[in-house]
Amino acid sequence: MAHKILIVDDAAFMRMMIKDILSKNGFDVVGEAADGAQAVEKYQELQPDLVTMDITMPEMDGITALKEIKKLNPNAKVIMCSAMGQQAMVIDAIQAGAKDFIVKPFQADRVIEAISKTLS
């Protein structure tokens, strides 16, 4: 059975890029969210196997959303997505329980590698 993935990014274009990469590689994208608050809601509703989470978003940022999801499910698997130069935030995210991070612009093989490694 395909792993269920929730994609979180405030840019629809980025969500589309990740969805395209994942769909082509046999993953099931079960939902999308445009900010951290939506991410927490969708996580509860969909119970995905893994979440890709942008760091910088309106309403609630990715690190806060990560912490909220981890409260709901300490075993949640979340991979952070960040632009270059956000190293401090990436460290915060890993300390908050993120399993890995992917740097934008996305390279398909790196996205698949990070997700496969986290789900195995």
Side-chain angles (χ1 to χ4, degrees):
M1 198 176 94
H3 287 288
K4 298 185 305 188
I5 315 278
L6 171 62
I7 298 172
V8 185
D9 198 304
D10 57 328
F13 164 74
M14 285 295 178
R15 293 196 307 270
M16 192 179 72
M17 274 180 60
I18 299 177
K19 186 175 187 172
D20 188 52
I21 292 168
L22 296 180
S23 300
K24 283 180 179 162
N25 285 276
F27 294 98
D28 183 13
V29 176
V30 291
E32 296 180 28
D35 63 51
Q38 274 183 22
V40 176
E41 250 171 63
K42 293 265 188 186
Y43 185 86
Q44 285 178 286
E45 177 193 329
L46 302 168
Q47 300 289 305
D49 298 309
L50 184 136
V51 180
T52 65
M53 180 85 70
D54 186 24
I55 291 182
T56 311
M57 296 181 290
E59 298 296 319
M60 181 192 288
D61 69 29
I63 294 173
T64 306
L66 166 66
K67 290 174 180 170
E68 291 299 313
I69 288 171
K70 283 294 204 176
K71 281 183 201 166
L72 295 169
N73 177 3
N75 299 316
K77 292 180 171 155
V78 181
I79 294 178
M80 304 308 284
C81 305
S82 76
M84 290 299 263
Q86 290 186 317
Q87 271 74 11
M89 287 181 178
V90 168
I91 292 165
D92 287 350
I94 300 290
Q95 288 172 339
K99 299 288 184 198
D100 203 343
F101 67 93
I102 313 165
V103 176
K104 297 176 185 179
F106 300 120
Q107 290 168 317
D109 53 350
R110 174 66 188 118
V111 172
I112 297 306
E113 176 199 338
I115 288 175
S116 299
K117 190 176 77 183
T118 300
L119 287 169
S120 63

